[in-house]
Amino acid sequence: GQQLNQSPQSMFIQEGEDVSMNCTSSSIFNTWLWYKQDPGEGPVLLIALYKAGELTSNGRLTAQFGITRKDSFLNISASIPSDVGIYFCAGRNFGNEKLTFGTGTRLTIIP
Amino acid sequence: DADVTQTPRNRITKTGKRIMLECSQTKGHDRMYWYRQDPGLGLRLIYYSFDVKDINKGEISDGYSVSRQAQAKFSLSLESAIPNQTALYFCATSDPGQETEAFFGQGTRLTVV
């Protein structure tokens, strides 16, 4: 089955640093979603993107729907301890009812 | 109370045993899904259902079966558990009106020994 390539796989940063991660696909998507999974919990939706080129923010988080429709980016500014977790991208193709998930980026904040 | 509830939260079972994971939701959504999460592989779809009489295989359905007993309930069964089915399992729901959002349960950690 198709999976999205998400990078980096893991990040170790200091509190206050900015974070960038991305997701790429071999096929076009008409929707991109970004989720965060806290330890011991299920993923929670952070940002949804519906148009190529769209840039959407949610507090310190900003995500972009790539112009080619084959990629998406998530940035976190001024990281704080509660940002720790696994971030997943997910995409949906035209005419497909199901989401395809990325492999996840694990974010760790170094004291 | 959680909108999507999974039981049990943790389970250890022996190889060859039959086990059922249950999911119930109070969101009133028609669409329900079962995913499996393994380290480094993200979330992979096992089965999904768009209404009570609709069952569809996902990308990794072998070794699993499901039952949609009601709009609010969707259970996943492992007929004869094997060790490589050790994973974290998530149930999710979505609303066709919103299409793209999926709401996840808290997960069931299954260990097959």
Side-chain angles (χ1 to χ4, degrees):
Chain A
Q2 178 186 25
Q3 282 197 316
L4 301 177
N5 295 315
Q6 190 170 345
S7 66
Q9 289 188 349
S10 60
M11 302 183 72
F12 296 86
I13 63 169
Q14 291 189 323
E15 184 176 350
E17 286 187 29
D18 295 342
V19 172
S20 292
M21 60 189 77
N22 69 79
C23 222
T24 59
S25 169
S26 57
S27 60
I28 291 172
F29 286 108
N30 67 326
T31 300
W32 283 96
L33 306 174
W34 284 92
Y35 288 83
K36 184 195 177 199
Q37 183 181 21
D38 289 324
E41 301 292 332
V44 174
L45 183 68
L46 298 173
I47 293 178
L49 302 161
Y50 302 107
K51 293 182 180 179
E54 180 179 357
L55 188 71
T56 297
S57 294
N58 178 4
R60 293 177 296 105
L61 278 61
T62 301
Q64 185 164 21
F65 192 141
I67 292 291
T68 66
R69 293 182 175 271
K70 292 184 178 181
D71 55 12
S72 181
F73 308 88
L74 177 69
N75 295 312
I76 305 172
S77 62
S79 58
I80 60 178
S82 62
D83 291 334
V84 165
I86 303 176
Y87 292 79
F88 290 101
C89 61
R92 183 192 303 278
N93 295 322
F94 282 109
N96 192 337
E97 302 288 353
K98 305 182 302 296
L99 291 175
T100 300
F101 280 85
T103 49
T105 295
R106 182 180 294 273
L107 180 63
T108 302
I109 294 183
I110 305 168
Chain B
D1 288 341
D3 293 321
V4 183
T5 303
Q6 292 183 232
T7 56
R9 291 293 312 276
N10 290 282
R11 182 72 180 268
I12 300 174
T13 192
K14 292 184 178 181
T15 297
K17 292 291 187 182
R18 184 180 188 276
I19 182 169
M20 179 182 290
L21 309 182
E22 300 194 17
C23 176
S24 63
Q25 52 117 343
T26 58
K27 299 194 72 68
H29 289 168
D30 287 327
R31 299 182 177 184
M32 298 188 73
Y33 310 79
W34 274 104
Y35 289 91
R36 169 178 172 159
Q37 183 179 16
D38 297 279
L41 294 178
L43 291 155
R44 293 181 293 167
L45 184 62
I46 306 173
Y47 271 95
Y48 61 102
S49 168
F50 285 169
D51 65 39
V52 174
K53 296 182 180 180
D54 177 73
I55 299 291
N56 304 282
K57 291 183 178 180
E59 58 182 299
I60 55 164
S61 58
D62 288 349
Y64 302 95
S65 63
V66 291
S67 173
R68 184 81 184 267
Q69 302 95 325
Q71 186 207 37
K73 296 185 182 297
F74 192 35
S75 59
L76 175 72
S77 293
L78 286 67
E79 298 302 325
S80 179
I82 56 177
N84 75 3
Q85 291 178 312
T86 293
L88 192 54
Y89 290 85
F90 286 102
C91 174
T93 74
S94 68
D95 180 352
Q98 295 187 358
E99 289 191 354
T100 57
E101 293 190 13
F103 298 88
F104 286 83
Q106 293 179 295
T108 295
R109 183 168 296 280
L110 177 66
T111 303
V112 183
V113 297

